[in-house]
Amino acid sequence: MNYVEWLRVRNALRVTAICLGISIVVALVVRISIAAQFGSTHDIVNRLGAEKDTVTTHSVVDGFNRTTLTNAREHTVVVIEDQADGSKIIQITEPGNSAHSNSVSMGPVRVSTSESGGVEKTTIETNRPVPFGIYAAIAAVIALIIATVLGAPFAKENDGHLEIAFLKPVSRTNNALGVVLADCVGILVAEVMTVLAFAIMQAFFEVPHFDFSGINSTAILLAIALPFSWYTFLNASTASLKRGAGAVVGLAWPAAFVSIALAGLNLGTSIAGQTFHTIFWSISRIFPLTYVQFEGHDNDLSSLGPKLMTTAAILTGLFLVYGALAVVQWRRVEA
Amino acid sequence: MSTISIKNLRKTYGPYVAVDDLTFEIPDACVFGLLGPNGAGKTTTFKCMLGLARATSGSVLYDGAPLVPETLERIAYVPERSVLYEWMTVGEHIEMQRRAYRKFSVARARELLAQFGIDLRKKARALSKGMRTATMVALAIARESDILILDEPTSGLDPINQRHVLNLIINESARGATVIFSSHQIGQVERAAERIAVIDRGRLALEGNVDDLKADRKIVEGILPSETFALNGLAGDPHILRLDRNGRIVRAVTSSDAGEVLAKFEALGASGLRIVDLNLEDIFLYAVSPADATADVVEGH
Amino acid sequence: MPVVLTVDPRSGVPIYLQVIEQVKRSVALGVLAAGEQLPTVKQLALDLTINPNTVAKAYRELERDGVIETAAGRGSFVRGNGSIETTKTAATDVARDAIDAAVREAKSIGLLADDIRTLASAAIDRWFREDA
């Protein structure tokens, strides 16, 4: 591992740790300040139970507390069941016919509604297992930022430090690989730090359970392959530059988005249209970000799995190709 | 053994010829001075020697073999401008070099940096130009390498530190290292170097042992009977590098055998004959200045 | 072994010759006594800030001229066991060079041999007057 690059990585990770640390502190502050409102069963009961005409009954089912709040006048029943893991299931039954059968998950909380015969039933489940894919996605975003920050290591050496970098008694290839290794380790560490930080933040509210099934595991592969391939893409784009690497890295994001947008345009069936479409489509294939477009597959998870695997494989391939391209370029740079 | 042979070295950048047909040898354990005006090609020569630039043609051989990564273990280089990482401390630079090379004396590095008065905790960007040069010199000498190459190692330094660097170079030479250094301070080269090469506009203008050059290159001066006195083709003499005439005074810069040239002056009828010694600065200036200078002749001492 | 030599690299005279001349002068003046040890090559190089090989070359010539002798592993020492001969040889060498240079210079500015002899005699009279 290249020592200088490792120092750069360490600095980037330090900033990441500080930002994550601040987030944790903010989450802690939020947690403490809304402690009053956030649901222990006792609090919910106190609030709702204090309403007029509400009758509160307590019972124990299968060893766990069940609190029922009945408001006969408004025909509303709220049942709160405490679960073994400290989470709750809250069922609200009330008159109404506007709700459709629906189920929405936000992280650990799932809200399901159904309606039949003029009666709406809303079920709130807290602390359901969190699909790890969400965590992986957040980590991937942070990793993309780190990959961008670390993205032009060869260019940084080219800008006046080759008399140190290229006079080491190792082959330039090994030198280059040592730099790439340090950056990749840094990206991985940043992802782990992010996952840990978010788990801690969630734990302030409820200890998280993770669902690693199916695409959640594939998401991990993707969360590594995407920032890695973006990093080597940036590296390959700047490996021969002495100056101006910052501009290239800065423009890479907008360029990627513009390219993706252009590739998605429907330019008609004319020869010109088809040609331009092919050109735009081809250019967009250069950017690793292009491959992570998924159109609304929330309900179709079965087909998403293989698609994610393919994408991860493509991105891994890009990681290797761009990495090789960067190393080959750097070997030929003259001081 | 650490001899360096440079053969027909040519380096072009597009249409610009930086060095052309350079050939000279740096013997083992020699202190070799590289002189030349700004832009002459000294730094390019160093870059080609170190593999930092690819020679367009020609070769640089170390003990007969081309440069490979392993050779770099034996070579330490101090570039002309600062290559330190602005955001790293001096101490971190020490650690960097310690990890990169098998032979690196952390104690010696610290000792030298202390002598220069450099704080290890300072970031490179907080150092003055001279202190950055001194840091690079200290890091290079701590390598205790067989070959030490320094490009303007005293630039930006005050006279005390300049003398200190010169002493470090002499110490390295006494240790048996081969030292190559370039400097615009010809007095420094004169003290420390045994052999020199002068590069001018990419070409080798002069090369040799300093004492031999001083013994061979003299000014023979004479006073002619009249301002229009014919010189009878004296300028074509093989021992005469250039002939300058100022009124009745004629001066010849000799490449050897000043005594013979003196005799020729005498035979021609000149009087007031004398031989003037040249120091290295004079020798250098004559080597790089245009050959047709007439009125302005640099005085020797 | 404090030896005070000075060299002027800018003088045009090769440095090793200056070192030789100065050592001989020191011996002639008795500043360097017979049997006294000279600084090591490395030490003198550092003291004078000159190339060590230059010092080595000077020492070799001094040895060849019989002014010093070098014992391997022990160092270089001024030759002789206090004999006047060594000192006188060194003194003669130094003086010869100085007089040679003076005569050459005088000739170059146009003096004739007799003029120079007259000047030399006058100088000798002047400098040795107090000894009379």
Side-chain angles (χ1 to χ4, degrees):
Chain A
M1 190 184 295
N2 183 287
Y3 177 67
V4 172
E5 193 59 27
W6 171 242
L7 288 183
R8 287 198 184 108
V9 166
R10 217 184 50 188
N11 287 346
L13 289 177
R14 191 178 296 147
V15 172
T16 309
I18 291 173
C19 292
L20 290 174
I22 291 174
S23 305
I24 291 176
V25 168
V26 166
L28 187 59
V29 167
V30 167
R31 174 67 183 93
I32 292 172
S33 64
I34 68 165
Q37 289 102 303
F38 193 72
S40 65
T41 309
H42 192 73
D43 292 329
I44 299 175
V45 165
N46 278 346
R47 216 165 342 116
L48 294 179
E51 278 200 26
K52 241 173 29 167
D53 302 326
T54 305
V55 174
T56 308
T57 52
H58 298 273
S59 56
V60 176
V61 174
D62 294 331
F64 294 105
N65 290 334
R66 174 187 290 197
T67 310
T68 313
L69 299 126
T70 317
N71 190 325
R73 184 175 60 84
E74 298 193 10
H75 307 290
T76 305
V77 178
V78 177
V79 178
I80 305 168
E81 286 177 6
D82 290 330
Q83 305 292 301
D85 62 359
S87 64
K88 300 181 222 322
I89 300 180
I90 304 169
Q91 256 187 32
I92 305 169
T93 317
E94 57 193 342
N97 50 17
S98 57
H100 303 279
S101 283
N102 211 350
S103 181
V104 173
S105 284
M106 285 177 301
V109 177
R110 183 160 79 185
V111 180
S112 322
T113 50
S114 64
E115 187 260 334
S116 74
V119 174
E120 271 181 23
K121 201 159 157 197
T122 308
T123 310
I124 304 171
E125 295 161 277
T126 66
N127 209 10
R128 291 202 48 76
V130 179
F132 194 75
I134 298 176
Y135 269 62
I138 298 173
V141 168
I142 302 292
L144 277 174
I145 297 173
I146 299 296
T148 307
V149 166
L150 296 174
F154 296 162
K156 284 178 194 142
E157 295 294 310
N158 291 347
D159 189 13
H161 303 295
L162 290 176
E163 286 85 345
I164 290 183
F166 280 170
L167 291 185
K168 295 188 180 140
V170 294
S171 72
R172 285 197 190 178
T173 305
N174 285 347
N175 203 0
L177 292 177
V179 171
V180 170
L181 177 65
D183 289 334
C184 289
V185 166
I187 293 172
L188 276 178
V189 169
E191 296 203 72
V192 169
M193 281 165 60
T194 305
V195 167
L196 282 176
F198 274 82
I200 291 173
M201 285 192 272
Q202 190 179 346
F204 290 150
F205 299 83
E206 266 162 350
V207 177
H209 307 283
F210 290 117
D211 175 17
F212 286 105
S213 67
I215 62 167
N216 291 302
S217 300
T218 320
I220 296 175
L221 293 175
L222 205 52
I224 295 174
L226 176 62
F228 271 25
S229 60
W230 184 247
Y231 160 74
T232 53
F233 164 70
L234 291 176
N235 200 357
S237 308
T238 55
S240 299
L241 298 179
K242 289 198 162 88
R243 296 287 168 85
V248 170
V249 169
L251 287 174
W253 283 83
F257 289 133
V258 166
S259 176
I260 292 168
L262 287 175
L265 288 179
N266 185 340
L267 297 171
T269 50
S270 64
I271 305 246
Q274 289 292 339
T275 312
F276 275 112
H277 177 77
T278 310
I279 293 174
F280 290 143
W281 185 89
S282 306
I283 293 175
S284 75
R285 298 298 109 181
I286 295 174
F287 300 93
L289 285 176
T290 307
Y291 299 87
V292 288
Q293 306 172 74
F294 307 111
E295 286 107 27
H297 282 265
D298 284 322
N299 301 324
D300 196 2
L301 294 179
S302 55
S303 74
L304 194 56
K307 185 158 193 252
L308 289 182
M309 277 301 280
T310 314
T311 308
I314 294 174
L315 289 178
T316 306
L318 284 181
F319 161 66
L320 294 170
V321 165
Y322 283 134
L325 218 61
V327 170
V328 161
Q329 281 184 77
W330 204 40
R331 279 164 34 151
R332 293 198 50 82
V333 170
E334 289 191 78
Chain B
M1 272 285 286
S2 310
T3 47
I4 305 170
S5 322
I6 296 167
K7 289 196 170 83
N8 306 110
L9 186 67
R10 181 179 159 90
K11 175 63 184 168
T12 56
Y13 291 99
Y16 174 64
V17 180
V19 296
D20 190 18
D21 204 30
L22 279 187
T23 301
F24 57 94
E25 214 168 88
I26 299 160
D28 183 39
C30 171
V31 178
F32 196 96
L34 198 59
L35 300 174
N38 284 330
K42 303 190 293 293
T43 302
T44 304
T45 305
F46 287 142
K47 285 186 180 169
C48 290
M49 284 170 69
L50 293 163
L52 293 170
R54 264 186 307 280
T56 307
S57 63
S59 64
V60 179
L61 299 176
Y62 291 81
D63 297 332
L67 184 74
V68 291
E70 194 46 46
T71 320
L72 291 170
E73 182 68 47
R74 298 166 44 213
I75 306 176
Y77 178 51
V78 178
E80 185 180 2
R81 60 191 170 95
S82 173
V83 294
L84 304 174
Y85 294 93
E86 311 268 289
W87 50 277
M88 279 166 60
T89 66
V90 175
E92 281 166 345
H93 282 89
I94 293 178
E95 181 60 21
M96 171 186 73
Q97 296 297 74
R98 185 192 72 78
R99 289 172 185 230
Y101 298 96
R102 278 198 297 272
K103 202 157 66 147
F104 183 84
S105 167
V106 173
R108 182 102 172 100
R110 291 188 182 182
E111 178 195 352
L112 291 169
L113 288 163
Q115 285 171 8
F116 283 115
I118 295 173
D119 184 355
L120 296 186
R121 292 162 304 181
K122 269 200 166 159
K123 295 206 177 174
R125 62 169 150 256
L127 297 175
S128 67
K129 171 170 163 41
M131 288 299 102
R132 292 180 200 200
T133 307
T135 301
M136 292 193 292
V137 168
L139 290 173
I141 292 190
R143 295 269 314 281
E144 290 165 3
S145 54
D146 295 334
I147 299 171
L148 182 59
I149 303 178
L150 311 108
D151 196 350
E152 304 280 346
T154 59
S155 78
L157 290 174
D158 64 47
I160 295 175
N161 280 323
Q162 287 197 17
R163 180 54 69 100
H164 190 52
V165 169
L166 208 55
N167 276 334
L168 288 172
I169 289 175
I170 287 167
N171 203 46
E172 291 300 289
S173 173
R175 186 175 61 75
T178 304
V179 180
I180 306 134
F181 78 110
S182 78
S183 179
H184 283 304
Q185 312 257 38
I186 306 209
Q188 293 178 353
V189 178
E190 201 154 17
R191 284 178 176 276
E194 283 167 73
R195 298 190 65 87
I196 58 148
V198 178
I199 298 182
D200 185 26
R201 280 164 291 190
R203 294 181 156 265
L204 190 69
L206 182 61
E207 195 245 329
N209 176 287
V210 172
D211 288 335
D212 292 345
L213 285 171
K214 283 186 173 180
D216 289 337
R217 301 204 166 207
K218 306 272 185 193
I219 288 185
V220 176
E221 183 188 271
I223 301 180
L224 299 169
S226 73
E227 289 197 15
T228 51
F229 197 81
L231 286 175
N232 294 345
L234 191 64
D237 188 297
H239 297 302
I240 294 182
L241 287 173
R242 58 188 268 170
L243 200 59
D244 295 311
R245 191 169 175 167
N246 191 357
R248 287 173 59 193
I249 300 175
V250 60
R251 287 198 189 96
V253 180
T254 63
S255 59
S256 59
D257 297 300
E260 268 187 45
V261 175
L262 187 89
K264 286 214 173 117
F265 270 43
E266 199 167 22
L268 213 49
S271 61
L273 297 165
R274 63 180 185 142
I275 296 177
V276 179
D277 294 325
L278 294 178
N279 65 21
L280 197 59
E281 182 173 12
D282 302 322
I283 293 172
F284 166 74
L285 287 172
Y286 277 124
V288 302
S289 56
D292 61 349
T294 48
D296 298 316
V297 177
V298 175
E299 275 288 354
H301 288 274
Chain C
M1 42 166 143
V3 172
V4 181
L5 306 180
T6 53
V7 292
D8 178 12
R10 333 252 6 240
S11 82
V13 176
I15 296 178
Y16 82 99
L17 286 178
Q18 293 182 42
V19 172
I20 290 170
E21 200 235 310
Q22 299 235 350
V23 169
K24 286 183 179 174
R25 178 182 225 94
S26 301
V27 169
L29 291 170
V31 171
L32 271 176
E36 189 170 334
Q37 185 174 21
L38 267 64
T40 59
V41 167
K42 177 174 169 178
Q43 190 55 53
L44 191 59
L46 285 171
D47 288 341
L48 297 178
T49 314
I50 57 175
N51 188 294
N53 283 346
T54 306
V55 176
K57 190 164 159 185
Y59 278 22
R60 276 199 299 276
E61 284 226 6
L62 283 166
E63 184 160 18
R64 213 185 52 203
D65 289 350
V67 180
I68 67 173
E69 58 194 349
T70 305
R74 291 203 311 129
S76 300
F77 299 82
V78 177
R79 217 161 189 213
N81 312 314
S83 83
I84 306 289
E85 269 316 303
T86 317
T87 317
K88 193 162 169 220
T89 314
T92 310
D93 284 344
V94 171
R96 178 189 307 114
D97 290 340
I99 293 172
D100 205 73
V103 171
R104 191 175 71 223
E105 179 67 20
K107 183 187 178 202
S108 85
I109 56 174
L111 269 68
L112 300 172
D114 283 332
D115 298 329
I116 298 173
R117 261 188 220 106
T118 311
L119 282 175
S121 294
I124 290 170
D125 289 339
R126 187 164 59 245
W127 286 103
F128 282 89
R129 188 181 306 147
E130 55 254 28
D131 294 358

